Amino acid sequence: MRVAFAGTPEFASAALQRIVQAGFAVPLVLTQPDRPAGRGMQLQASAVKQCALAHGIPVAQPRSLRMDGKYPEEARAAQAALLAARPDVLVVAAYGLLLPQWVLDLPRLGCLNIHASLLPRWRGAAPIHRAIEAGDAATGVTIMQMDAGLDTGAMCLVQSLPIAPDDTSASLHDKLADLGADMIVQALAQVQTAPLPQTPQPAEGITYAHKIAKDEAWLDWTHGAAALERKIRAFTPFPGGAAQLGSDTLKIWQAQAQAQSHDAAPGQVLAADADGVLVACGSGHDSSVLRLTQLQRAGGKRLPAADFLRGFALPVGSVLHRPQ
């Protein structure tokens, strides 16, 4: 069976690597164009492109697949490459481009998507982050038969995975990438002999995982400590939690929620020592405390609280806040 692949980040490269290792023929890989990255802003190939080139697989990098879009010549070149590849199926994982109908119709077995959530919960761009932020007890991977909607296709395989109390988006990403890679190989092996199950998504329970915006990093101290602790884990490694103290911006990378009442203003520093920085959250009956245990100053390194406080004063009574 000939398996074309479309994907971009590390989540997708784990699946491509496993598909190749399983012995499937991969005649073509689609991935996003190289992007500037790093301090020198040099063009850098995506994780999927690097994996494809390591295995000698041809790569196409159109900026669009729409014939009526901004880059029709690139879409036509991608269409010619896909037609020449003659895929039986197209596997899609975090590709980053919407697939027009001509792509969905091209492989005889259609397009299978590896989606990192238990659909229909967390359709969209950031399902891993949003599941942690919302406090979900579990997430998982859905192998979906793609249609023209946004993550609306029929479910073929579904497997759940618990979210650990200390999971960040980085750690949960790696677990789900491994699970998705295993599941897509299972799906490809199965579809060679029999059609995959096609279970329509329920109409109830639909939520959307909107793309993470940089300004979401600012912590709102009027919220409870448990919600802020989840947000910090959800936004690690990007964009992290952030707070302002005077003219300084602090990044907060690790924290622990504590059910401790107080009558201080939200964001007020209650204590700062080697065990962490205690910050007042919420107010009244909903008050709680967040212990910040790993922090970073602009231009500095991530440091445990004890090391951070040696070089940066966080006086008791000072107030962390969001920019006005």
Side-chain angles (χ1 to χ4, degrees):
M1 189 166 67
R2 297 171 65 81
V3 181
F5 189 89
T8 299
E10 291 182 8
F11 179 86
S13 69
L16 177 59
Q17 180 72 23
R18 205 74 56 86
I19 290 169
V20 172
Q21 290 174 344
F24 291 101
V26 182
L28 180 67
V29 161
L30 300 175
T31 191
Q32 290 272 351
D34 298 358
R35 306 286 191 202
R39 290 193 175 183
M41 296 302 285
Q42 299 294 313
L43 286 179
Q44 183 170 321
S46 71
V48 163
K49 181 178 179 179
Q50 294 177 47
C51 180
L53 294 179
H55 292 287
I57 302 170
V59 174
Q61 297 177 269
R63 286 174 286 181
S64 172
L65 292 168
R66 292 179 51 187
M67 300 298 180
D68 58 350
K70 190 175 180 181
Y71 306 103
E73 69 287 349
E74 295 185 26
R76 285 192 290 270
Q79 183 181 48
L82 272 170
L83 287 168
R86 296 180 293 106
D88 296 296
V89 64
L90 174 64
V91 171
V92 182
Y95 179 30
L97 291 182
L98 291 176
L99 302 190
Q101 195 63 46
W102 73 260
V103 179
L104 299 173
D105 293 341
L106 193 148
R108 68 179 181 87
L109 297 173
C111 302
L112 297 176
N113 179 249
I114 309 169
H115 188 75
S117 83
L118 301 175
L119 290 169
R121 186 158 178 79
W122 303 127
R123 294 175 178 173
I128 298 174
H129 306 73
R130 299 305 184 189
I132 295 176
E133 183 184 20
D136 291 1
T139 183
V141 170
T142 304
I143 304 297
M144 173 185 62
Q145 188 81 47
M146 295 182 72
D147 60 17
L150 177 62
D151 300 329
T152 56
M155 301 180 293
C156 304
L157 298 175
V158 181
Q159 190 166 333
S160 64
L161 181 79
I163 299 177
D166 61 348
D167 263 329
T168 64
S169 284
S171 64
L172 190 57
H173 165 282
D174 292 349
K175 296 175 187 178
L176 291 170
D178 284 343
L179 178 60
D182 287 341
M183 289 174 65
I184 194 60
V185 168
Q186 176 188 344
L188 292 173
Q190 183 175 334
V191 79
Q192 291 183 99
T193 57
L196 291 170
Q198 301 278 327
T199 304
Q201 294 185 35
E204 301 79 27
I206 297 171
T207 55
Y208 286 92
H210 297 288
K211 185 178 179 181
I212 305 296
K214 284 185 178 180
D215 62 3
E216 289 187 74
W218 297 108
L219 300 177
D220 185 344
W221 301 101
T222 64
H223 294 169
L228 292 177
E229 184 265 343
R230 291 196 306 268
K231 183 170 182 174
I232 291 165
R233 290 191 291 112
F235 289 7
T236 298
F238 175 85
Q244 196 87 14
L245 181 65
S247 60
D248 290 294
T249 297
L250 307 181
K251 282 286 192 177
I252 299 155
W253 295 106
Q254 290 180 11
Q256 300 166 353
Q258 297 183 191
Q260 176 181 329
S261 61
H262 60 80
D263 57 4
Q268 184 172 330
V269 176
L270 304 177
D273 54 33
D275 293 328
V277 179
L278 287 183
V279 182
C281 304
S283 60
H285 296 299
D286 296 324
S287 64
S288 52
V289 171
L290 191 66
R291 184 183 295 274
L292 315 183
T293 57
Q294 189 183 77
L295 303 95
Q296 180 182 14
R297 192 176 180 182
K301 298 180 180 178
R302 298 187 191 186
L303 295 171
D307 296 334
F308 181 85
L309 291 170
R310 290 191 188 99
F312 188 90
L314 272 170
V316 172
S318 59
V319 177
L320 301 177
H321 59 91
R322 300 166 63 177
Q324 298 302 317

